[in-house]
Amino acid sequence: MPKPKDEFDTLYGYLLYDPQDILDDEYMYTVPEIARMLQGLDPTTELSEDTEDRLVQWTIPWIIQHEEKFVINDPRGDDPGYFGLHPDFVADEDEE
């Protein structure tokens, strides 16, 4: 059920990053690692299973929305897939 805004103590702007803003173009990342980075955390930060599950649920649509900006590897065995920046979306050093 909707609630009036004045029922909330704090309200924040909703900011979603571009993949180039958070990913290093030299690395590939799992979805949970990307989820942490979207929260401003180190990709190796330990999280509770519930917290990680929630962050991953928020991250998957973000990845899908930016699909053209990613490359993915062919997973090996039970290893997860890794995502990295597509070369077409990596800024040239001249542009930085």
Side-chain angles (χ1 to χ4, degrees):
M1 167 141 267
K3 296 183 183 220
K5 286 183 182 177
D6 61 5
E7 284 189 24
F8 298 93
D9 293 333
T10 55
L11 298 173
Y12 303 98
Y14 189 65
L15 173 65
L16 290 177
Y17 299 99
D18 279 330
Q20 308 91 299
D21 295 337
I22 63 164
L23 302 179
D24 184 315
D25 63 334
E26 297 295 320
Y27 290 93
M28 300 283 284
Y29 303 90
T30 65
V31 172
E33 290 169 339
I34 293 171
R36 286 170 174 80
M37 295 172 73
L38 283 170
Q39 298 300 312
L41 301 172
D42 184 275
T44 62
T45 300
E46 290 291 325
L47 299 173
S48 72
E49 189 174 328
D50 289 342
T51 300
E52 182 170 289
D53 287 347
R54 181 165 294 151
L55 293 181
V56 166
Q57 288 174 5
W58 294 340
T59 301
I60 291 170
W62 178 83
I63 290 173
I64 292 168
Q65 180 179 353
H66 295 287
E67 67 179 323
E68 74 282 355
K69 297 178 181 177
F70 286 105
V71 293
I72 187 169
N73 74 312
D74 192 8
R76 298 180 201 138
D78 291 335
D79 287 344
Y82 284 77
F83 291 83
L85 289 176
H86 190 287
D88 290 347
F89 292 93
V90 174
D92 290 332
E93 289 183 24
D94 296 338
E95 294 177 17
E96 292 180 5

